[in-house]
Amino acid sequence: MVVLVDWIIILSSIGYLLVLFAIAYFADKRAERGAGITSHPYIYALSLGVYCTSWTFYGSVGRAASSGLDFLPIYLGPTLVFVLWWLVVKKIIRITKAHRITSIADFISSRYGKSTPLSALVTVIAVVGIVPYISLQLKAVATSFNVLKQYPEVIAPLNSPPIATVADTAFWVALVLAIFAILFGTRHIDNSEHHDGVVVAIAFESVVKLLAFLAVGIFVTFGLYDGFGDLFQQASRVPELLQLMTFEKEGAYTTWVTLTTLSMVAAVCLPRQFQVIAVENVNEPELRKGVWLFPLYLLAINIFVLPIALGGMLQFPRGDVNADTFILTLPMAHEQEMLALLVFLGGLSAATSMVIVATIALSTMVCNDLVMPVLLRWNWLGLKRKSDFTGVLLFVRRSSIILILLFGYAYFRFLGESDALVTIGLISFAAVFQFAPAMIGGMFWKGGNRKGALVGLSLGFVVWAYTLLLPAFAKSGLLPITFIAAGPLGIELFRPYELFGLQGLDHLTHALFWTTVFNAGAYVFVSLYTRHSAIERVQGALFVDVYRYADQGPRSQLWQGSASVEDLFNLLVRFLGRARADRAFSGYFRDRGLERRRVITADADLVHLTERLLSGAIGAASARVMISSVVKGEVVRLEEVMTILDETSQVIEYSQSLEQKSKELESTTAQLRAANERLQELDRLKDEFLSTVSHELRTPLTSIRSFSEILSDHPDLEDEEKSRFLEIIVKESVRLTRLINQVLDLAKIEAGQMEWIFEDLDIPQVVENSMDTMSAILSEKEIVLDVDFATDLPMIRGDRDRLMQVFVNLLSNAIKFCDEERGWVKVSVFLQGQEIVITVADNGQGVPWQARERIFEKFHQSREGLADKPHGTGLGLSISRQIVEYFDGRLELVDTSSKGSVFGVFLPLQAEQVIAKAGE
């Protein structure tokens, strides 16, 4: 039996950390001899296990104890990414290597024109978002230490009493981790070089925490119970525990979607994940092992989460033990001292691996994207004249590591006690989710630009802070608790958990919804409506089409002009040191078979090499600034760069052009075919019109000639017979005249030669005069005429005779097509808005609705309602419409059915255009 006194726990912790130091030291030494092992696929796959932090080790059990299966989406997300979307991960790795990218801030900045403000914003978001996550690790270590040192008593309260900083385990752990990160994370100036010692140590820690978790899981499941079946059976007898094994809680599906989405993004956008996935990747084939081994690792470490949670709930039914510590308190409760100590070391490994990689990644971002751009722009510091920058870079990075860990410790001391481990982790996940639109969008959409990314990230960060971070402050007492319940200044519309009145969602889903709306929406909208700079377009092409351009090397250069080899070498020495600069330049000239001392002027390849090496040390944005200070020349014009980038895609573009022209040709052919069909239709109508006109002309002429010959040949006819023949001759003459006049009117209107006489008209009076003209025919056919005229209608300007021609034509058609036995025609005149409307209705068979426009075409003759071929020329409605349109009015078929048709004339009250025409 081992007594778990304080000094044993502390010595065990120190011993473990010393082992970690030793592993990292020997891995670095092997790498210096050229025998590094980080290129081994299993080392790379195990280093991805840095995703599993103390949140996994302690928090997953705590979440399972309160929410059942809701812990699974956190691991389902990265599993989906590596199993189904591994091509996205591969593209991230390819881009990172091609552009010598050192961090996620560098990645996003490089995509959008190597923008310094953008990289600074990403860094700020990362630091603010990840500091709570670091505090989570410190909280887990401190909590587990405080619980373990109480052995044999099991005391794990939900909140620990405050203690002095110097007596706080978390404080000393933070300092030790700072030392480790400084020793093994800042050994190289070039951050794009691999941290072999760190990666191997992280892989080792992944094994330790997995073994510790599996050991407790096996102990609980098969030591305390007779396997999974026995454990689940006993748990199912407790109603509260039975609910944990179901998926029927309200809002469960929404929560799963939210957590899965967040974890998918976090799997690649968390700074530590980006560091191990892309920056520390030695070669792309390593990913082949990672796409199945990492999901397998996640499966193994989660098999016993729910059994441990259920075992803890059965062991401590009163709820006086913090569920986050079940994995530790269960071995303690059954006097398994060595197992408890192993669990403590496993939790320590889970926390330290995350903190080490996160602080290295964040310190690189702070140095390259916040501090160095400012220092290089402050001329009064004189740093640009400094011959050796390596000391400055190392000092900034090491100071950043210490400050980041101190901030994490401060968050733990002042805010971390108010939330469970999982809650703190989810706040960080939501923070890095803000990188997704700019990062993922920039990899697949060339249309995204710097302004869109800046605005989207800014809005997303503000909304995240308002809906998640500030409420955490309120729960900790730093802000009034009324901020959550009533909103700022009592404005309920701005309540952080029900922003703009959105209710019914859990806090995390609510925050994810609004941040996505503002972030992604602004990114797309601003990118679409703002201009792209030349460098943004080029970088967009290089990122989106990375597989096309990654191997072109100097063909993607953006510089023209000249620079001396000496200037570039001295620039590199300032940031990388003479030894590193010598190796780089010597290798460059050796590979090209050149003698270095004989080359004075650098070519674009050497400029590119220098910029890439500087990017690894100070970031892409700062490297570009420094290169521009020694290269004499300007950025290549957009046209020239795009010509270079498009050379390999000209065949594709030409093919697309041919395809487009083919489509245009097909469209033109279709239009010509339609036009030809229309011409054939018009030709048919013309032939029919000529036939009709000739028939109509021949009929009255034949009648006139026949009856005239009769009168001439038989002068002795009776007077009554002569009168009848003369009456027929007069009618046929009138009919002939009307036909000729219609043809002439049509010709005049189309030629613009019609004479118009304008005067103020009383429209009801004009309509009444038209009806008088048709009264004889109405009486003859016994057609009922209904009249409905509004009174006090205003006068309008128009041509009386032409408008009467329209009304007479409509009345004539109504009489012709109304019911033969009980004919009925109604004429109405009324005011509608700014128009006087005249409608003529009949009770005929109506006009087919699909023919409502065709009946106004020239030569069209309607046969509806007539047994034989219609009389007339088919010009009446066409002429009438052109007359009405001349007065800026409309002639339309208003309504039609099997019970009749209604035609309407709409005349505007103020016909300014008509008055202008009259003046002409």
Side-chain angles (χ1 to χ4, degrees):
M1 175 178 176
V2 178
V3 180
L4 295 177
V5 295
D6 292 4
W7 66 269
I8 291 181
I9 301 173
I10 294 172
L11 283 180
S12 299
S13 303
I14 294 174
Y16 173 78
L17 293 175
L18 288 176
V19 171
L20 209 59
F21 274 68
I23 291 174
Y25 176 79
F26 285 110
D28 269 347
K29 286 301 180 182
R30 281 180 61 94
E32 290 175 4
R33 297 195 305 268
I37 61 173
T38 54
S39 60
H40 196 287
Y42 287 103
I43 298 295
Y44 176 74
L46 287 172
S47 69
L48 298 177
V50 72
Y51 180 83
C52 299
T53 65
S54 60
W55 174 357
T56 300
F57 203 80
Y58 295 111
S60 293
V61 175
R63 186 171 184 85
S66 62
S67 304
L69 299 175
D70 281 357
F71 74 94
L72 282 177
I74 302 300
Y75 309 97
L76 180 61
T79 300
L80 291 175
V81 169
F82 276 82
V83 172
L84 301 180
W85 292 0
W86 62 270
L87 289 175
V88 176
V89 180
K90 182 181 178 181
K91 191 170 187 177
I92 292 173
I93 295 173
R94 178 68 64 90
I95 292 171
T96 300
K97 292 185 176 301
H99 295 266
R100 210 172 181 84
I101 286 169
T102 61
S103 65
I104 191 170
D106 202 16
F107 188 98
I108 296 175
S109 169
S110 296
R111 164 59 181 86
Y112 300 101
K114 304 183 179 181
S115 167
T116 301
L118 187 57
S119 62
L121 177 60
V122 173
T123 301
V124 170
I125 295 174
V127 171
V128 175
I130 300 304
V131 162
Y133 210 161
I134 294 175
S135 77
L136 182 153
Q137 315 308 314
L138 301 178
K139 176 180 180 179
V141 173
T143 301
S144 60
F145 177 80
N146 293 332
V147 171
L148 188 60
K149 72 178 184 178
Q150 304 294 329
Y151 184 82
E153 296 184 32
V154 179
I155 302 175
L158 297 178
N159 293 303
S160 303
I163 57 177
T165 300
V166 294
D168 193 346
T169 308
F171 175 75
W172 294 106
V173 170
L175 289 184
V176 173
L177 294 180
I179 294 172
F180 185 95
I182 288 172
L183 288 177
F184 298 101
T186 59
R187 291 170 62 89
H188 306 293
I189 295 297
D190 187 350
N191 287 295
S192 62
E193 292 187 354
H194 306 291
H195 304 89
D196 294 72
V198 173
V199 172
V200 175
I202 298 305
F204 170 75
E205 292 196 294
S206 294
V207 174
V208 172
K209 59 192 174 190
L210 176 62
L211 291 177
F213 206 98
L214 291 177
V216 177
I218 293 172
F219 167 72
V220 172
T221 306
F222 300 100
L224 302 183
Y225 300 92
D226 292 331
F228 291 102
D230 180 43
L231 174 57
F232 290 148
Q233 184 178 7
Q234 293 194 38
S236 64
R237 295 170 185 164
V238 182
E240 293 80 4
L241 300 186
L242 182 61
Q243 293 181 358
L244 300 179
M245 295 182 284
T246 63
F247 193 66
E248 299 178 355
K249 297 182 291 298
E250 183 178 357
Y253 294 100
T254 303
T255 302
W256 269 58
V257 171
T258 300
L259 294 177
T260 302
T261 303
L262 279 179
S263 59
M264 289 177 70
V265 173
V268 293
C269 289
L270 279 169
R272 72 174 190 275
Q273 292 302 122
F274 186 88
Q275 183 77 23
V276 295
I277 288 174
V279 179
E280 301 296 346
N281 178 273
V282 177
N283 50 70
E284 287 185 16
E286 293 177 359
L287 184 62
R288 298 174 187 171
K289 190 75 67 176
V291 296
W292 66 265
L293 190 56
F294 179 53
L296 184 63
Y297 182 92
L298 294 178
L299 174 63
I301 206 169
N302 281 282
I303 286 178
F304 292 105
V305 169
L306 189 59
I308 294 173
L310 295 175
M313 298 289 283
L314 291 171
Q315 181 72 38
F316 310 108
R318 293 182 298 176
D320 54 348
V321 174
N322 188 346
D324 286 341
T325 66
F326 280 170
I327 191 173
L328 183 61
T329 53
L330 279 172
M332 291 174 60
H334 293 274
E335 299 181 351
Q336 299 293 320
E337 298 89 348
M338 292 302 296
L339 182 57
L341 186 60
L342 177 62
V343 169
F344 172 75
L345 295 178
L348 181 64
S349 69
T352 54
S353 61
M354 178 274 168
V355 173
I356 291 169
V357 181
T359 51
I360 291 173
L362 291 179
S363 66
T364 300
M365 295 164 66
V366 170
C367 176
N368 292 354
D369 303 307
L370 280 183
V371 179
M372 289 308 298
V374 174
L375 295 181
L376 293 175
R377 282 165 174 76
W378 284 355
N379 295 325
W380 57 273
L381 289 175
L383 291 179
K384 285 190 176 182
R385 298 186 297 273
K386 190 176 178 64
S387 60
D388 188 355
F389 255 97
T390 57
V392 175
L393 289 172
L394 289 176
F395 174 78
V396 172
R397 287 177 189 163
R398 290 166 179 172
S399 301
S400 299
I401 288 174
I402 295 173
L403 289 175
I404 290 169
L405 281 168
L406 288 178
F407 282 140
Y409 176 74
Y411 187 97
F412 158 66
R413 290 283 293 186
F414 297 107
L415 300 173
E417 291 292 342
S418 63
D419 288 312
L421 296 178
V422 171
T423 303
I424 298 174
L426 290 175
I427 291 177
S428 294
F429 270 30
V432 299
F433 181 81
Q434 307 314 311
F435 300 149
M439 181 179 176
I440 306 301
M443 291 168 55
F444 296 97
W445 183 41
K446 295 179 183 178
N449 67 7
R450 180 181 62 87
K451 293 179 181 178
L454 272 172
V455 175
L457 277 169
S458 300
L459 290 178
F461 178 57
V462 170
V463 175
W464 166 81
Y466 187 82
T467 55
L468 288 178
L469 189 62
L470 293 184
F473 289 173
K475 291 178 181 178
S476 301
L478 296 183
L479 289 176
I481 194 63
T482 55
F483 171 77
I484 298 177
L489 303 177
I491 305 175
E492 294 188 353
L493 190 65
F494 296 144
R495 287 182 294 186
Y497 288 155
E498 296 179 0
L499 190 61
F500 304 132
L502 181 62
Q503 300 178 354
L505 299 177
D506 62 87
H507 303 161
L508 191 63
T509 304
H510 172 267
L512 182 66
F513 172 79
W514 284 119
T515 55
T516 303
V517 168
F518 281 95
N519 190 338
Y523 170 67
V524 173
F525 181 82
V526 175
S527 294
L528 289 175
Y529 292 98
T530 56
R531 298 186 61 178
H532 298 59
S533 66
I535 185 65
E536 287 178 64
R537 290 184 181 276
V538 172
Q539 290 298 104
L542 293 176
F543 269 59
V544 175
D545 299 324
V546 64
Y547 295 110
R548 178 186 301 171
Y549 299 125
D551 299 327
Q552 292 188 9
R555 291 181 59 79
S556 61
Q557 293 317 299
L558 310 180
W559 296 100
Q560 64 182 5
S562 62
S564 70
V565 173
E566 191 66 22
D567 286 343
L568 291 176
F569 179 75
N570 291 334
L571 179 62
L572 209 55
V573 167
R574 294 170 64 189
F575 291 95
L576 298 184
R578 181 167 296 275
R580 182 72 178 89
D582 267 328
R583 288 200 305 271
F585 271 49
S586 297
Y588 174 83
F589 288 107
R590 184 176 58 254
D591 292 343
R592 285 159 177 76
L594 300 174
E595 192 174 347
R596 177 177 165 185
R597 60 188 179 85
R598 293 182 179 275
V599 181
I600 298 175
T601 302
D603 57 9
D605 292 8
L606 188 56
V607 173
H608 177 56
L609 173 66
T610 306
E611 183 178 358
R612 289 183 68 240
L613 291 172
L614 285 176
S615 296
I618 59 176
S622 297
R624 184 165 181 79
V625 172
M626 297 310 299
I627 283 291
S628 64
S629 68
V630 298
V631 175
K632 299 178 178 62
E634 298 180 353
V635 178
V636 176
R637 291 182 294 110
L638 174 61
E639 293 80 3
E640 298 175 6
V641 176
M642 296 313 293
T643 299
I644 294 173
L645 294 178
D646 289 341
E647 283 180 355
T648 58
S649 60
Q650 285 180 355
V651 175
I652 297 175
E653 292 179 357
Y654 182 66
S655 175
Q656 292 174 342
S657 176
L658 287 178
E659 184 179 356
Q660 179 64 27
K661 291 184 180 298
S662 176
K663 292 179 179 179
E664 293 176 358
L665 183 59
E666 291 177 2
S667 176
T668 303
T669 302
Q671 293 176 2
L672 289 174
R673 186 182 299 110
N676 182 57
E677 292 174 355
R678 177 60 179 163
L679 287 174
Q680 291 178 352
E681 174 68 11
L682 290 176
D683 186 63
R684 184 189 64 78
L685 291 173
K686 178 203 67 175
D687 292 342
E688 188 172 329
F689 166 71
L690 291 177
S691 174
T692 301
V693 169
S694 61
H695 172 77
E696 294 295 331
L697 289 173
R698 187 183 301 111
T699 300
L701 285 174
T702 301
S703 297
I704 292 172
R705 178 179 177 180
S706 297
F707 286 107
S708 297
E709 287 177 351
I710 292 173
L711 291 174
S712 174
D713 295 342
H714 301 85
D716 54 347
L717 287 174
E718 297 181 0
D719 291 341
E720 183 179 350
E721 193 73 8
K722 288 181 180 180
S723 299
R724 188 172 67 84
F725 288 168
L726 287 173
E727 185 178 347
I728 292 174
I729 291 173
V730 171
K731 286 184 178 180
E732 293 299 323
S733 299
V734 171
R735 178 182 174 190
L736 180 61
T737 302
R738 183 172 66 252
L739 175 61
I740 294 173
N741 286 338
Q742 282 189 339
V743 175
L744 291 176
D745 285 345
L746 179 63
K748 287 181 180 179
I749 291 175
E750 292 186 342
Q753 297 177 353
M754 178 70 76
E755 296 182 1
W756 305 90
I757 301 174
F758 288 90
E759 58 182 306
D760 292 331
L761 300 177
D762 180 3
I763 291 300
Q765 184 62 48
V766 176
V767 175
E768 189 172 343
N769 293 341
S770 303
M771 291 189 299
D772 291 341
T773 303
M774 305 299 296
S775 58
I777 300 178
L778 290 168
S779 299
E780 179 183 343
K781 294 191 174 184
E782 298 181 352
I783 295 174
V784 177
L785 177 65
D786 285 347
V787 177
D788 183 10
F789 289 177
T791 58
D792 299 327
L793 293 176
M795 307 281 281
I796 66 170
R797 297 279 294 173
D799 187 316
R800 178 185 296 273
D801 291 339
R802 298 305 170 195
L803 288 177
M804 282 190 63
Q805 181 178 349
V806 172
F807 302 146
V808 168
N809 180 265
L810 293 177
L811 286 168
S812 175
N813 287 342
I815 293 170
K816 184 190 304 182
F817 293 103
C818 69
D819 187 84
E820 293 182 358
E821 298 180 359
R822 294 189 298 274
W824 170 84
V825 174
K826 180 177 181 180
V827 180
S828 303
V829 182
F830 55 91
L831 185 64
Q832 180 176 288
Q834 295 297 312
E835 296 177 318
I836 292 181
V837 182
I838 305 94
T839 61
V840 178
D842 63 65
N843 65 341
Q845 295 182 6
V847 178
W849 185 247
Q850 61 270 22
R852 62 187 181 280
E853 288 299 323
R854 196 165 62 249
I855 58 176
F856 291 99
E857 294 178 358
K858 289 176 287 189
F859 316 137
H860 182 85
Q861 293 176 302
S862 178
R863 289 168 170 77
E864 284 76 15
L866 295 178
D868 56 357
K869 183 176 179 180
H871 298 289
T873 62
L875 296 175
L877 284 177
S878 178
I879 293 174
S880 298
R881 172 171 273 191
Q882 293 191 51
I883 291 173
V884 174
E885 288 178 348
Y886 187 85
F887 298 110
D888 293 330
R890 295 174 289 128
L891 172 57
E892 299 175 352
L893 176 62
V894 177
D895 191 19
T896 182
S897 67
S898 60
K899 297 181 180 180
S901 303
V902 181
F903 285 84
V905 177
F906 302 81
L907 297 173
L909 296 179
Q910 300 294 332
E912 297 179 359
Q913 296 181 10
V914 173
I915 297 174
K917 293 175 185 176
E920 297 174 359

